[in-house]
């Protein structure tokens, strides 16, 4: 196949996979949901945790692996093997997983939940996740400010990423993976909303973290630390009195949109196919 045709085919696969999965890269008409006025108001929702609580959670996380240590070398060896997935279906799914801001990112859990989340139908759910996003993001950024570890795309300037990344982004800190922290917080919240589907939900949260490895944006230790931090952030947020009321409101919305036949968003078969590829 000619190079030009190969690129066209790759772009087409990206569009189809993302659109069918109802992910954040899906084509749409008009203003994207995340840029509408109501989304701006949601972005102003504060997190559940104050600065002292977030700092305490971050302080409990160990520092990143020392450069040249056994863990660091293992991380880099595994990351190098992941280049074999470039331009595969798993790589293309990782492009969708790169978007982790509510409300669009919540659609990554459509198939695990057996629903099709629509921001306009779930404002309370979106608000709950936005508040959790604020906590998870702040906690991860606080840890990154303590000790710097380069990203795979920073260590290797020629390394491809599945997302558009600036030079400043290449030079930004990798440990812990804030994306994994956010994904796990979402996963724990969705598991609380729908306990019967908790295993599938938590698997998707983990796969979002794996996507960051595929994307060349994090090393395995970064993702593992992000998952630990995410569970700690959720547990702390869930202890706040206002969280229970927000969870109850979100649960009612989720029940209201669930199809009687258990139908989910289109594209779940495509997502399952992409996830069937083993991450080295």
């Amino acid at each position: 196949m000619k190079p030009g045709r190969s690129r066209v085919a790759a772009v087409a696969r990206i569009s189809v996979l993302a659109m069918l999965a109802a992910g954040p890269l899906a084509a749409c008409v008009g203003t994207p949901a995340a840029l509408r006025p109501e989304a701006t108001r949601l972005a102003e929702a504060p997190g559940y945790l104050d600065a002292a609580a977030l700092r305490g959670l971050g302080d409990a996380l160990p520092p990143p692996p020392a450069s040249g240590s056994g863990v660091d070398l293992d991380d880099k060896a595994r990351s190098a093997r992941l280049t074999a997935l470039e331009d595969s279906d798993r790589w293309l799914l990782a492009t969708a997983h790169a978007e982790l801001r509510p409300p669009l990112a919540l659609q990554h859990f459509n198939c695990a939940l057996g629903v099709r989340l629509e921001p306009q139908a779930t404002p309370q759910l979106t608000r709950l996740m936005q508040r959790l996003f604020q906590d998870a993001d702040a906690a991860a950024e606080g840890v990154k400010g303590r000790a710097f570890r380069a990203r795979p795309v920073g260590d290797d300037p020629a390394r491809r990423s599945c997302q558009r990344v600036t030079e400043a982004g290449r030079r930004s800190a990798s440990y812990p993976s804030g994306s994994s922290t956010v994904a796990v917080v979402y996963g724990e919240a969705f598991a609380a909303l729908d306990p019967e589907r908790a295993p599938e939900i938590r698997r998707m949260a983990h796969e979002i973290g794996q996507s960051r490895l595929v994307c060349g944006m994090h090393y395995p230790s970064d993702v593992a630390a992000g998952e630990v931090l995410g569970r700690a952030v959720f547990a702390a947020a869930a202890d706040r009195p206002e969280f229970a009321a927000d969870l109850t409101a979100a649960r009612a919305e989720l029940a209201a949109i669930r199809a009687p036949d258990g139908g989910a968003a289109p594209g779940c078969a495509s997502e399952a196919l992409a996830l069937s590829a083993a991450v080295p």
Side-chain angles (χ1 to χ4, degrees):
M1 181 179 291
K2 295 181 179 180
R5 292 181 181 176
S6 176
R7 177 162 180 78
V8 170
V11 171
R13 284 162 59 210
I14 291 173
S15 300
V16 170
L17 182 62
M19 180 174 62
L20 291 181
L25 301 183
C28 61
V29 177
T31 305
L35 300 182
R36 294 174 190 155
E38 61 269 28
T40 301
R41 290 194 295 273
L42 286 167
E44 297 171 355
Y48 292 101
L49 304 175
D50 60 26
L54 292 168
R55 186 166 52 252
L57 293 171
D59 288 345
L61 209 64
S67 179
S69 66
V71 174
D72 180 59
L73 295 176
D74 286 345
D75 271 354
K76 290 175 179 175
R78 185 182 177 198
S79 185
R81 293 196 297 270
L82 288 167
T83 59
L85 293 177
E86 290 179 2
D87 296 324
S88 68
D89 285 343
R90 189 63 184 83
W91 167 271
L92 301 180
L93 183 60
T95 67
H97 286 168
E99 175 58 84
L100 280 173
R101 296 166 298 177
L104 299 181
L106 306 186
Q107 297 175 43
H108 299 325
F109 292 87
N110 276 344
C111 299
L113 288 163
V115 299
R116 186 170 188 176
L117 296 174
E118 297 285 354
Q120 62 272 23
T122 55
Q124 297 303 317
L125 172 65
T126 301
R127 183 176 184 277
L128 168 73
M129 296 301 187
Q130 180 65 55
R131 297 188 71 179
L132 290 171
F133 172 88
Q134 303 282 22
D135 288 332
D137 183 61
E141 288 303 309
V143 177
K144 288 182 179 183
R146 292 194 330 232
F148 179 82
R149 188 191 198 192
R151 297 180 184 273
V153 295
D155 282 328
D156 180 3
R159 177 79 177 263
R160 291 177 60 199
S161 176
C162 67
Q163 67 187 82
R164 185 176 299 170
V165 57
T166 64
E167 285 306 310
R170 284 182 180 271
R171 294 192 300 269
S172 60
S174 189
Y175 180 95
S177 167
S179 297
S180 296
T181 304
V182 170
V184 165
V185 166
Y186 289 160
E188 291 304 306
F190 276 127
L193 289 167
D194 192 348
E196 291 185 2
R197 293 177 179 262
E200 296 92 334
I201 292 165
R202 289 188 172 113
R203 183 202 173 197
M204 177 49 60
H206 177 70
E207 289 293 349
I208 291 171
Q210 297 303 291
S211 285
R212 305 308 287 157
L213 303 181
V214 172
C215 217
M217 295 300 290
H218 289 290
Y219 288 111
S221 292
D222 307 331
V223 169
E227 291 182 337
V228 170
L229 183 59
R231 286 188 285 271
V233 168
F234 178 78
D239 273 345
R240 296 301 190 264
E242 64 269 32
F243 176 85
D246 289 349
L247 191 73
T248 297
R251 184 179 289 116
E253 285 184 341
L254 192 60
I257 66 170
R258 192 177 296 284
D261 61 358
C268 289
S270 296
E271 178 182 274
L273 179 63
L275 292 176
S276 68
V279 177

